[in-house]
Amino acid sequence: MFGVVIADSLKDTQMRQIRFENVSKSFEGEEIISGLSLEIPAGKFFALLGPSGCGKTTLLRLVAGLESVDSGRIFLGDQDITYQPIFKRRVNTVFQQYALFPHLSVFENVAYSLRIKREKEIFVREKVFDALKMVHLLGFENKNIKSLSGGQQQRVALARAIISEPEVLLLDEPLAALDQKLKEKLLIELIELQDKLKTTFVYVTHDQSEALTVADKMAIMNHDGHIEQIGTPKQIYEFPVSRFVANFVGNTNILSGKLIDVDNQPTVEVKGLDRILVYIQAHKNWMILGCNLFVSIRPEKIFISKKEISGFSNHLQGRVDNIIYYGRSTQYSLMLKNGKKLIVFEQNEEHFPQEVIDYDDIVNLYFQKENVVLLQG
Ligand code: ATP
């Protein structure tokens, strides 16, 4: 009996995995997706992050069956759904525009798919109340859609999408129309919802902070519709594999240089600056002596001070060009002696209370070699 339960739950989980195999899609002769292969893990919160127009929505529409591939295959678990009709796919989508029926109540909006299936009233009521509870809208069932705020309307759209218990929920920039505070609140609610349902969530966004917040795993798509990197938010943020990823996910400082020592103490020479010591976590075959490359240093990994401090592997100097005070943190923009700019973020409470850094001050910039990421030139 126990074995059967495990086998069933394993099968259940595998059913919700999405796999793209060599998928291509063109519009009006322009290839948007070209030979894309991607595995979206079952039962996880997966974020697809990429710049506007790179093809994220197109990928979702291919899974939903709203577009068809030119070539390649799409699987949901072990089932090939490439040419499966929309109504047979156990997939639902929540869009940025809520697409609710304004003339129906909250209850009837959520009940819609069950009404079409002519389910019994008692069943419909139970399911609608369950779904409304999930999205914190119990008590709103008789309200008119037009009387709801944007956040509440999006919750109705979510309830409507989960009521039919899809294996996959596709979320296409669902919070884009909401203000920042509400967006942050709903992001947390979405994480909790996914955790309860264990449905595979695929969340499409061009907002890196949203993707970093929600995702168990994420993929970064570039302007050409290619996947540049897949990993956990931490892996992607801390170890970006390309300049595109380093720049797109979070803020970073990129300097170009040459690798002048690989084996002893890996070192990069940056034109017009002191040498930068680096730590090579995983050797790549392009990391050869003399190669041109880029280094990426996250602004929050740099410590700024007018004092001389020991214990850091790297030390540069810069002149303060601009200061932006954000309350909890301060952003300094610095001019290095080679004419390049560097950005530093300081958490205000961590900073020496007595030290005042002002425009035009010459400051020391310290960072550890472990916080320098090497990127292919
Ligand atoms: P955004 O973040 O702005 O929503 P996206 O990454 O989701 O962008 P898509 O909406 O998938 O991008 O569009 C990718 C490209 O395909 C765009 O250049 C778009 O104009 C084009 N495109 C999408 N759908 C169609 C269509 N039905 N007909 C013609 N071109 C289309």
Side-chain angles (χ1 to χ4, degrees):
M1 180 64 193
F2 191 52
V4 173
V5 173
I6 291 177
D8 275 354
S9 71
L10 187 67
K11 187 169 162 246
D12 200 35
T13 313
Q14 283 169 345
M15 276 174 73
R16 296 170 181 157
Q17 180 206 54
I18 305 166
R19 209 167 75 245
F20 294 87
E21 266 184 25
N22 213 13
V23 166
S24 296
K25 175 72 184 170
S26 300
F27 289 115
E28 296 157 3
E30 193 189 338
E31 197 161 57
I32 304 298
I33 310 282
S34 165
L36 180 137
S37 294
L38 172 67
E39 241 172 58
I40 297 181
K44 299 275 185 229
F45 208 133
F46 187 87
L48 185 59
L49 174 68
S52 197
C54 71
K56 305 181 294 297
T57 297
T58 302
L59 269 191
L60 287 198
R61 290 174 62 82
L62 289 171
V63 177
L66 298 164
E67 297 286 352
S68 51
V69 302
D70 295 341
S71 60
R73 298 254 154 220
I74 303 174
F75 293 86
L76 183 53
D78 49 15
Q79 205 183 6
D80 186 342
I81 61 162
T82 319
Y83 300 107
Q84 199 177 48
I86 298 177
F87 68 91
K88 284 202 168 164
R89 299 184 190 207
R90 297 206 53 197
V91 170
N92 248 337
T93 313
V94 176
F95 299 99
Q96 179 183 338
Q97 305 82 2
Y98 320 124
L100 299 171
F101 301 112
H103 59 288
L104 296 181
S105 65
V106 167
F107 185 100
E108 288 306 328
N109 264 279
V110 177
Y112 189 75
S113 64
L114 303 182
R115 295 276 188 232
I116 289 179
K117 288 190 205 152
R118 298 183 186 280
E119 298 286 2
K120 289 211 171 84
E121 188 60 26
I122 188 162
F123 178 80
V124 172
R125 288 188 72 76
E126 190 187 321
K127 288 285 174 191
V128 170
F129 279 103
D130 277 353
L132 287 176
K133 190 173 172 204
M134 285 275 188
V135 299
H136 309 291
L137 277 186
L138 272 185
F140 284 72
E141 44 284 351
N142 295 323
K143 294 242 184 223
N144 189 309
I145 290 296
K146 285 187 200 145
S147 71
L148 302 183
S149 68
Q152 288 163 341
Q153 290 193 36
Q154 194 54 300
R155 286 196 185 99
V156 177
L158 268 170
R160 188 182 55 180
I162 62 175
I163 200 166
S164 51
E165 297 175 5
E167 285 165 7
V168 173
L169 189 63
L170 306 171
L171 299 134
D172 193 357
E173 311 232 12
L175 310 181
L178 307 177
D179 68 53
Q180 191 55 30
K181 273 251 161 83
L182 192 54
K183 200 184 273 191
E184 285 167 16
K185 188 163 184 279
L186 278 178
L187 279 176
I188 304 293
E189 287 182 19
L190 275 177
I191 295 169
E192 289 168 356
L193 185 66
Q194 195 281 329
D195 204 43
K196 276 189 209 141
L197 296 173
K198 301 283 183 238
T199 303
T200 305
F201 275 29
V202 186
Y203 188 97
V204 154
T205 180
H206 59 260
D207 181 330
Q208 46 94 18
S209 68
E210 274 181 35
L212 289 172
T213 307
V214 295
D216 294 316
K217 206 166 181 191
M218 60 199 273
I220 316 297
M221 216 169 168
N222 66 18
H223 291 280
D224 302 329
H226 291 114
I227 304 288
E228 290 242 345
Q229 190 170 358
I230 301 173
T232 63
K234 189 173 161 70
Q235 281 164 346
I236 287 183
Y237 186 80
E238 305 224 340
F239 304 108
V241 295
S242 65
R243 259 198 311 160
F244 173 79
V245 175
N247 270 318
F248 197 70
V249 182
N251 291 292
T252 199
N253 295 291
I254 304 257
L255 299 168
S256 66
K258 185 185 264 193
L259 196 56
I260 56 165
D261 190 342
V262 191
D263 298 321
N264 302 312
Q265 166 50 67
T267 305
V268 172
E269 186 177 67
V270 177
K271 214 171 169 191
L273 287 186
D274 298 321
R275 290 171 174 195
I276 294 182
L277 306 187
V278 301
Y279 171 71
I280 299 180
Q281 206 207 19
H283 268 274
K284 304 273 164 57
N285 53 12
W286 57 265
M287 291 178 184
I288 50 173
L289 193 66
C291 74
N292 291 318
L293 44 61
F294 295 96
V295 295
S296 161
I297 316 157
R298 295 285 184 196
E300 70 277 12
K301 302 286 189 194
I302 303 172
F303 188 78
I304 181 170
S305 178
K306 288 193 276 189
K307 302 181 180 183
E308 287 190 9
I309 299 170
S310 57
F312 286 91
S313 4
N314 287 296
H315 171 220
L316 300 174
Q317 278 197 320
R319 183 177 53 76
V320 179
D321 213 30
N322 196 10
I323 304 174
I324 304 175
Y325 180 72
Y326 288 115
R328 256 188 301 178
S329 63
T330 303
Q331 175 185 309
Y332 298 93
S333 172
L334 302 129
M335 185 64 78
L336 301 176
K337 67 181 177 195
N338 66 352
K340 300 281 179 211
K341 283 205 170 177
L342 201 79
I343 300 291
V344 176
F345 295 151
E346 279 283 320
Q347 290 301 318
N348 289 333
E349 64 271 30
E350 283 173 15
H351 206 268
F352 294 157
Q354 69 275 32
E355 193 169 20
V356 177
I357 292 176
D358 219 333
Y359 287 85
D360 285 333
D361 280 351
I362 302 295
V363 291
N364 297 305
L365 304 161
Y366 299 103
F367 50 96
Q368 303 292 22
K369 60 186 176 187
E370 290 78 8
N371 292 326
V372 182
V373 176
L374 299 187
L375 302 168
Q376 192 168 11

